[in-house]
Amino acid sequence: MRMPEIETERLYLREISLQDAKDIYEYMREREVTDFMFTACATLQECQHYLKVEFLSYERMGLPSPYAIELKASGKVIGTCNFHTIEEDTAQVGFVLNPLYQHQGYMSEAMEMLLEMGFEILDLRRITAMHMNGNTACQHLLEHLGFVKEGILREAVTREDEALDMHLYSLLKREWRERNERTGK
């Protein structure tokens, strides 16, 4: 399912393409990013393969196309955000941002738009997100966006033979609307 392009004050959210591999490779090889993911790219070719397998196949699976987060000022792709899964009226989101651009409000700006797409265009009732232990940047972003922690999925995933806990958060459409009314969005 093709998603419409979105323009914010500082960003374009648009469909990911193979031409984005160089910018995405820049951060997908950084330990600061890959410590909290299941994929790392050692080479540009691995990153291109990752994009083909991970993102460019979404449409075939019936999922909304993932967004590249592009800086309007430079055209540089600094991250991605997307819906991983959709089941009935619930979806799970995922996002990653180049560490050089963290703590500047870019991901909040992008995720606000993704949430709007989810609740208004896709008519979702509930959006979830998960993060690994120690990913405080993700935790703070989710809390800032109004997500509520539901709990910890103990030893929910395995990476390099280590069982890891995942923190589960959710945001309901009615909570999102109430928050927007309070904040005037």
Side-chain angles (χ1 to χ4, degrees), residues 11-129:
L11 305 170
Y12 291 116
L13 274 62
R14 59 158 178 81
E15 196 170 324
I16 294 174
S17 75
L18 281 178
Q19 287 72 36
D20 300 324
K22 185 178 177 192
D23 286 343
I24 292 172
Y25 172 62
E26 185 178 303
Y27 61 84
M28 284 299 291
R29 63 184 178 191
E30 294 296 325
R31 186 171 180 106
E32 186 176 347
V33 172
T34 60
D35 275 355
F36 301 112
M37 298 182 68
F38 295 98
T39 305
C41 298
T43 66
L44 180 58
Q45 291 74 24
E46 280 184 20
C47 189
Q48 289 168 333
H49 178 74
Y50 167 74
L51 291 180
K52 285 180 194 171
V53 172
E54 190 67 26
F55 290 129
L56 301 179
S57 63
Y58 270 53
E59 216 171 312
R60 279 195 315 270
M61 297 184 297
L63 292 170
S65 51
Y67 282 115
I69 302 170
E70 178 183 310
L71 288 175
K72 284 169 86 170
S74 66
K76 182 173 187 63
V77 172
I78 61 169
T80 60
C81 60
N82 62 294
F83 295 102
H84 282 290
T85 58
I86 297 180
E87 293 181 20
E88 296 181 21
D89 58 357
T90 298
Q92 183 178 7
V93 293
F95 46 88
V96 62
L97 186 67
N98 184 325
L100 297 174
Y101 299 90
Q102 291 179 356
H103 309 294
Q104 298 174 52
Y106 291 120
M107 190 54 79
S108 291
E109 195 172 320
M111 286 299 296
E112 290 282 2
M113 299 312 300
L114 189 69
L115 293 174
E116 183 176 331
M117 293 298 300
F119 289 128
E120 297 295 338
I121 304 299
L122 300 176
D123 198 27
L124 298 171
R125 177 184 51 83
R126 182 172 187 265
I127 296 177
T128 66

